[in-house]
Coordinates of all heavy atoms in Angstrom, one line a residue:
R1 N 96.4 131.0 104.5 CA 96.9 129.8 103.8 C 98.2 129.4 104.4 O 98.8 130.1 105.2 CB 97.1 130.2 102.3 CG 98.1 131.3 102.0 CD 98.2 131.5 100.5 NE 99.3 132.4 100.1 CZ 99.2 133.6 99.7 NH1 98.0 134.2 99.6 NH2 100.3 134.3 99.4
T2 N 98.6 128.2 104.1 CA 99.8 127.6 104.6 C 100.7 127.2 103.5 O 100.3 127.1 102.3 CB 99.5 126.3 105.4 OG1 98.9 125.4 104.6 CG2 98.7 126.6 106.7
A3 N 102.0 127.1 103.8 CA 103.0 126.6 102.8 C 102.9 125.1 102.8 O 102.4 124.5 103.8 CB 104.4 127.0 103.2
V4 N 103.4 124.4 101.8 CA 103.3 123.0 101.7 C 104.7 122.4 101.3 O 105.3 122.9 100.4 CB 102.3 122.5 100.6 CG1 102.3 121.0 100.4 CG2 100.9 123.0 101.0
I5 N 105.1 121.4 102.1 CA 106.3 120.6 101.7 C 105.7 119.2 101.4 O 105.1 118.6 102.2 CB 107.2 120.5 102.9 CG1 107.8 121.8 103.3 CG2 108.4 119.5 102.5 CD1 108.7 121.8 104.6
M6 N 105.9 118.8 100.1 CA 105.6 117.4 99.8 C 106.8 116.6 99.6 O 107.7 116.9 98.9 CB 104.8 117.4 98.4 CG 104.3 116.0 98.1 SD 103.5 115.9 96.4 CE 104.9 116.2 95.3
V7 N 106.9 115.5 100.4 CA 108.0 114.5 100.3 C 107.5 113.4 99.4 O 106.5 112.7 99.8 CB 108.4 114.0 101.7 CG1 109.5 113.1 101.6 CG2 108.7 115.2 102.6
W8 N 108.1 113.2 98.3 CA 107.7 112.3 97.3 C 108.5 111.0 97.3 O 109.8 111.1 97.4 CB 107.8 112.9 95.9 CG 107.2 112.1 94.8 CD1 108.0 111.5 93.8 CD2 105.9 111.8 94.5 NE1 107.1 110.9 92.9 CE2 105.8 111.1 93.3 CE3 104.7 112.2 95.1 CZ2 104.6 110.6 92.7 CZ3 103.5 111.7 94.6 CH2 103.5 111.0 93.4
L9 N 107.9 109.8 97.3 CA 108.5 108.5 97.3 C 108.3 107.8 96.0 O 107.3 107.1 95.8 CB 108.0 107.7 98.5 CG 107.9 108.4 99.9 CD1 107.3 107.4 100.9 CD2 109.3 108.8 100.3
P10 N 109.2 108.1 95.0 CA 109.0 107.6 93.7 C 109.0 106.1 93.6 O 110.0 105.5 94.0 CB 110.1 108.3 92.9 CG 111.2 108.5 93.8 CD 110.5 108.8 95.1
G11 N 108.0 105.5 93.1 CA 107.9 104.0 93.0 C 106.9 103.4 94.0 O 106.4 102.3 93.8
G12 N 106.7 104.2 95.0 CA 105.6 103.7 95.9 C 106.1 102.9 97.1 O 106.9 102.0 97.0
L13 N 105.6 103.3 98.3 CA 106.0 102.7 99.6 C 105.0 101.5 99.9 O 103.8 101.6 99.7 CB 105.9 103.7 100.7 CG 106.1 103.3 102.1 CD1 107.5 102.9 102.4 CD2 105.7 104.4 103.1
S14 N 105.6 100.4 100.3 CA 104.7 99.3 100.7 C 104.0 99.6 102.0 O 104.6 99.7 103.1 CB 105.6 98.0 100.9 OG 104.9 97.0 101.6
H15 N 102.7 99.8 102.0 CA 101.9 100.1 103.2 C 101.9 98.9 104.1 O 101.9 99.1 105.3 CB 100.5 100.5 102.8 CG 99.7 99.5 102.0 ND1 100.1 99.2 100.7 CD2 98.6 98.8 102.3 CE1 99.2 98.3 100.2 NE2 98.3 98.0 101.1
I16 N 102.0 97.7 103.6 CA 101.9 96.5 104.5 C 103.2 96.5 105.4 O 103.1 96.0 106.5 CB 101.9 95.2 103.6 CG1 100.6 95.2 102.8 CG2 102.1 94.0 104.4 CD1 99.4 94.9 103.7
D17 N 104.3 96.9 104.9 CA 105.5 96.9 105.6 C 105.8 98.1 106.4 O 106.9 98.3 107.0 CB 106.7 96.6 104.6 CG 106.6 95.3 104.0 OD1 106.4 94.2 104.7 OD2 106.6 95.2 102.7
T18 N 104.9 99.1 106.4 CA 105.2 100.4 107.1 C 104.0 100.8 107.9 O 103.9 100.5 109.1 CB 105.6 101.4 106.1 OG1 104.6 101.5 105.1 CG2 106.9 101.1 105.4
Y19 N 103.0 101.6 107.3 CA 102.0 102.3 108.0 C 100.7 101.5 108.2 O 99.8 101.9 109.0 CB 101.6 103.6 107.3 CG 102.8 104.6 107.3 CD1 103.5 104.8 106.1 CD2 103.2 105.3 108.4 CE1 104.5 105.7 106.0 CE2 104.2 106.2 108.4 CZ 104.9 106.4 107.2 OH 105.9 107.3 107.1
D20 N 100.6 100.4 107.5 CA 99.3 99.6 107.6 C 99.6 98.1 107.7 O 99.2 97.3 106.8 CB 98.5 99.9 106.3 CG 97.0 99.4 106.4 OD1 96.6 98.9 107.6 OD2 96.3 99.4 105.4
P21 N 100.4 97.7 108.7 CA 100.8 96.3 108.8 C 99.6 95.4 109.1 O 98.6 95.8 109.7 CB 101.7 96.3 110.0 CG 101.4 97.4 110.8 CD 100.9 98.5 109.9
K22 N 99.7 94.1 108.6 CA 98.6 93.1 108.8 C 99.3 91.9 109.4 O 99.5 90.9 108.7 CB 98.0 92.8 107.5 CG 97.4 94.0 106.7 CD 96.2 94.6 107.3 CE 95.6 95.7 106.5 NZ 94.4 96.3 107.1
P23 N 99.5 91.9 110.7 CA 100.3 90.8 111.3 C 99.6 89.4 111.2 O 100.2 88.4 111.4 CB 100.5 91.3 112.7 CG 99.4 92.3 113.0 CD 99.2 92.9 111.7
E24 N 98.2 89.5 111.1 CA 97.5 88.2 111.1 C 97.4 87.5 109.8 O 96.9 86.4 109.7 CB 96.1 88.5 111.6 CG 95.2 89.3 110.6 CD 95.4 90.8 110.6 OE1 96.3 91.3 111.3 OE2 94.8 91.5 109.8
I25 N 97.9 88.1 108.7 CA 97.8 87.5 107.4 C 98.9 86.4 107.2 O 99.9 86.4 107.9 CB 97.9 88.5 106.2 CG1 99.2 89.3 106.3 CG2 96.7 89.4 106.3 CD1 99.3 90.4 105.2
G26 N 98.7 85.6 106.2 CA 99.6 84.5 105.9 C 101.0 84.9 105.4 O 101.2 86.1 105.0
S27 N 101.9 84.0 105.4 CA 103.3 84.3 105.0 C 103.4 84.7 103.6 O 104.4 85.4 103.2 CB 104.2 83.1 105.3 OG 103.7 82.0 104.5
E28 N 102.5 84.4 102.7 CA 102.6 84.8 101.3 C 102.3 86.3 101.2 O 102.6 86.9 100.1 CB 101.6 84.0 100.4 CG 100.1 84.3 100.6 CD 99.5 83.4 101.7 OE1 100.2 83.1 102.6 OE2 98.3 83.2 101.5
Y29 N 101.8 87.0 102.2 CA 101.5 88.4 102.2 C 102.5 89.1 103.2 O 103.0 90.2 103.0 CB 100.1 88.7 102.6 CG 99.1 88.4 101.6 CD1 98.6 87.1 101.4 CD2 98.5 89.4 100.8 CE1 97.7 86.8 100.4 CE2 97.6 89.1 99.8 CZ 97.2 87.8 99.6 OH 96.3 87.5 98.6
R30 N 102.6 88.6 104.4 CA 103.3 89.2 105.5 C 104.8 89.2 105.3 O 105.4 88.2 105.0 CB 102.9 88.6 106.8 CG 103.5 89.3 108.0 CD 103.1 88.6 109.3 NE 103.7 87.3 109.4 CZ 103.1 86.1 109.3 NH1 101.8 86.1 109.2 NH2 103.7 85.0 109.4
G31 N 105.4 90.4 105.5 CA 106.8 90.5 105.4 C 107.5 90.0 106.7 O 106.8 89.6 107.7
P32 N 108.8 90.1 106.9 CA 109.5 89.6 108.1 C 109.5 90.6 109.3 O 110.0 90.3 110.3 CB 110.9 89.4 107.6 CG 111.1 90.5 106.5 CD 109.7 90.6 105.9
F33 N 108.8 91.7 109.1 CA 108.9 92.8 110.1 C 107.8 92.7 111.2 O 106.7 92.5 110.9 CB 108.9 94.2 109.5 CG 109.9 94.3 108.3 CD1 109.4 94.5 107.0 CD2 111.2 94.2 108.5 CE1 110.3 94.6 106.0 CE2 112.1 94.3 107.5 CZ 111.6 94.5 106.2
S34 N 108.2 92.8 112.4 CA 107.3 92.8 113.5 C 106.6 94.2 113.6 O 107.1 95.2 113.1 CB 107.9 92.5 114.8 OG 108.9 93.4 115.2
T35 N 105.4 94.2 114.3 CA 104.7 95.5 114.5 C 105.1 96.1 115.9 O 105.5 95.4 116.8 CB 103.2 95.3 114.4 OG1 102.8 94.4 115.5 CG2 102.8 94.8 113.1
I36 N 105.0 97.4 116.0 CA 105.3 98.1 117.2 C 104.2 99.1 117.5 O 103.6 99.6 116.6 CB 106.7 98.8 117.1 CG1 106.7 99.8 116.0 CG2 107.9 97.8 117.0 CD1 108.0 100.7 115.9
P37 N 103.9 99.4 118.7 CA 102.9 100.4 119.1 C 103.5 101.8 118.8 O 104.7 102.0 118.8 CB 102.7 100.1 120.6 CG 104.0 99.6 121.1 CD 104.5 98.7 120.0
T38 N 102.6 102.7 118.6 CA 103.0 104.1 118.4 C 102.5 104.9 119.6 O 101.9 104.3 120.5 CB 102.4 104.7 117.1 OG1 101.0 104.9 117.3 CG2 102.7 103.8 115.9
K39 N 102.8 106.2 119.6 CA 102.3 107.0 120.7 C 100.8 107.2 120.6 O 100.2 107.7 121.6 CB 103.0 108.4 120.6 CG 102.8 109.2 121.8 CD 103.7 110.4 121.8 CE 103.6 111.2 123.1 NZ 104.5 112.4 123.1
V40 N 100.1 106.8 119.5 CA 98.7 106.9 119.4 C 98.1 105.5 119.7 O 98.4 104.5 119.1 CB 98.3 107.3 118.0 CG1 96.8 107.3 117.8 CG2 98.9 108.7 117.6
P41 N 97.2 105.5 120.8 CA 96.7 104.2 121.1 C 95.9 103.5 120.0 O 95.2 104.2 119.2 CB 95.7 104.6 122.3 CG 96.2 105.8 122.8 CD 96.8 106.5 121.7
G42 N 96.2 102.2 119.7 CA 95.6 101.5 118.7 C 96.2 101.6 117.3 O 95.9 100.9 116.4
L43 N 97.2 102.5 117.2 CA 97.9 102.7 115.9 C 99.2 101.9 116.0 O 100.1 102.2 116.9 CB 98.1 104.2 115.6 CG 98.9 104.5 114.4 CD1 98.2 104.0 113.1 CD2 99.2 106.0 114.3

């Protein structure tokens, strides 16, 4: 078995503005932040 560290973000993180950006959607959805590539191709 392994130990577990859970990092809790109370109130909820905006996935659109962080881990699941949708740059092609309209301004009523898209925030002001640009997307950047990660070390994982396609992510």
Side-chain angles (χ1 to χ4, degrees):
R1 62 183 192 249
T2 59
V4 176
I5 297 174
M6 184 184 70
V7 182
W8 185 250
L9 310 178
L13 174 71
S14 168
H15 56 294
I16 295 293
D17 297 305
T18 54
Y19 297 106
D20 192 9
K22 306 289 183 179
E24 70 281 1
I25 58 179
S27 59
E28 70 271 30
Y29 287 80
R30 186 180 64 250
F33 310 115
S34 61
T35 60
I36 57 174
T38 72
K39 196 169 183 180
V40 177
L43 175 64

